[in-house]
Amino acid sequence: AQTVTQSQPEMSVQEAETVTLSCTYDTSESNYYLFWYKQPPSRQMILVIRQEAYKQQNATENRFSVNFQKAAKSFSLKISDSQLGDTAMYFCAFMKHEGYGGATNKLIFGTGTLLAVQP
Amino acid sequence: EAGVTQFPSHSVIEKGQTVTLRCDPISGHDNLYWYRRVMGKEIKFLLHFVKESKQDESGMPNNRFLAERTGGTYSTLKVQPAELEDSGVYFCASSLWGLPSTDTQYFGPGTRLTVL
């Protein structure tokens, strides 16, 4: 069974600085996807970034980038130029590629990291 | 385009009572997922609908939980009778039918259920 571990329950960063959230996972699969979701206070969870395991290049989305180390099964999220609006719970998630169409592509989540951006 | 909506946002009930949670997915999304987060723990998969059919309900805790998706549109999750350990946040997510590379799961705001 796949597991996802986020070892940092809470983190804090000053506005405009850079912060890295860690995530490790365990799987014997070779074809899978990894995600970072964020849930701001009292708001719904949104996708921040996704990474296909077969791609060697690290995914980036504006100020958000990942460091994907497949052999080490590590998937960290780097937030550059942190903004107050980045304050949120961040969840790392794994998805095994089960198939197409109606296959159940369930997400397996870590316990989350609560990030506070300080002014 | 409206996102995934869930109702109610909060529910507080007594042990033994019944509660029904509702999820309205994004229009046109055939895949609908239910997840649950118990306080301080990870978010866990409950079940998956494709249109009105249950594709995978391996994550449902027990037979006190009943999920339906009539007509392939909105879905309900009923807990009857509720127990203390059912407390948590219930999330719904929807995605398009298609390739995993494109079927991003869009989440609703969740329903916080408290069983006293």
Side-chain angles (χ1 to χ4, degrees):
Chain A
Q2 291 83 19
T3 58
V4 176
T5 302
Q6 293 180 252
S7 59
Q8 305 150 316
E10 295 183 23
M11 293 190 72
S12 180
V13 64
Q14 293 295 124
E15 200 173 4
E17 292 187 346
T18 295
V19 64
T20 299
L21 310 183
S22 66
C23 173
T24 58
Y25 59 95
D26 188 24
T27 185
S28 58
E29 303 293 330
S30 58
N31 192 10
Y32 54 88
Y33 298 81
L34 294 163
F35 305 83
W36 278 98
Y37 279 88
K38 70 180 270 191
Q39 186 179 24
S42 302
R43 293 174 61 186
Q44 58 204 86
M45 196 152 52
I46 58 173
L47 178 67
V48 175
I49 200 165
R50 66 184 287 157
Q51 173 82 42
E52 290 84 354
Y54 63 86
K55 289 187 177 179
Q56 293 186 337
Q57 186 174 8
N58 289 325
T60 62
E61 286 289 343
N62 301 312
R63 297 182 295 106
F64 298 86
S65 62
V66 298
N67 183 4
F68 174 46
Q69 301 289 328
K70 191 171 184 178
K73 296 179 183 175
S74 172
F75 183 62
S76 61
L77 175 70
K78 185 172 83 171
I79 306 174
S80 304
D81 185 26
S82 296
Q83 300 176 1
L84 296 178
D86 295 332
T87 292
M89 179 70 83
Y90 286 80
F91 293 98
C92 178
F94 170 100
M95 185 177 83
K96 173 185 169 185
H97 177 202
E98 293 284 2
Y100 304 107
T104 296
N105 295 305
K106 69 182 81 167
L107 292 165
I108 298 170
F109 288 89
T111 51
T113 295
L114 181 60
L115 176 67
V117 180
Q118 307 292 343
Chain B
E1 177 183 282
V4 178
T5 57
Q6 293 186 246
F7 181 83
S9 56
H10 293 89
S11 181
V12 181
I13 61 172
E14 299 281 336
K15 176 183 173 181
Q17 291 185 322
T18 297
V19 63
T20 299
L21 314 180
R22 172 169 171 147
C23 168
D24 286 78
I26 293 172
S27 178
H29 281 195
D30 288 334
N31 291 303
L32 188 149
Y33 295 81
W34 283 99
Y35 293 87
R36 177 176 73 172
R37 185 182 189 215
V38 173
M39 181 66 72
K41 298 196 174 181
E42 67 272 24
I43 301 168
K44 284 192 173 180
F45 167 81
L46 295 179
L47 86 157
H48 169 223
F49 283 98
V50 176
K51 298 184 181 178
E52 69 276 5
S53 299
K54 291 177 188 174
Q55 187 73 13
D56 183 341
E57 51 183 330
S58 61
M60 295 286 263
N62 50 61
N63 60 10
R64 295 185 293 103
F65 289 74
L66 175 64
E68 295 180 327
R69 191 181 181 193
T70 306
T73 54
Y74 70 91
S75 175
T76 58
L77 180 64
K78 182 161 70 174
V79 185
Q80 179 183 29
E83 297 289 344
L84 298 179
E85 63 265 25
D86 301 333
S87 295
V89 180
Y90 290 77
F91 293 100
C92 174
S94 71
S95 69
L96 284 169
W97 173 288
L99 300 176
S101 58
T102 57
D103 70 345
T104 295
Q105 292 185 30
Y106 295 89
F107 280 78
T111 292
R112 182 175 296 278
L113 174 64
T114 302
V115 182
L116 302 176

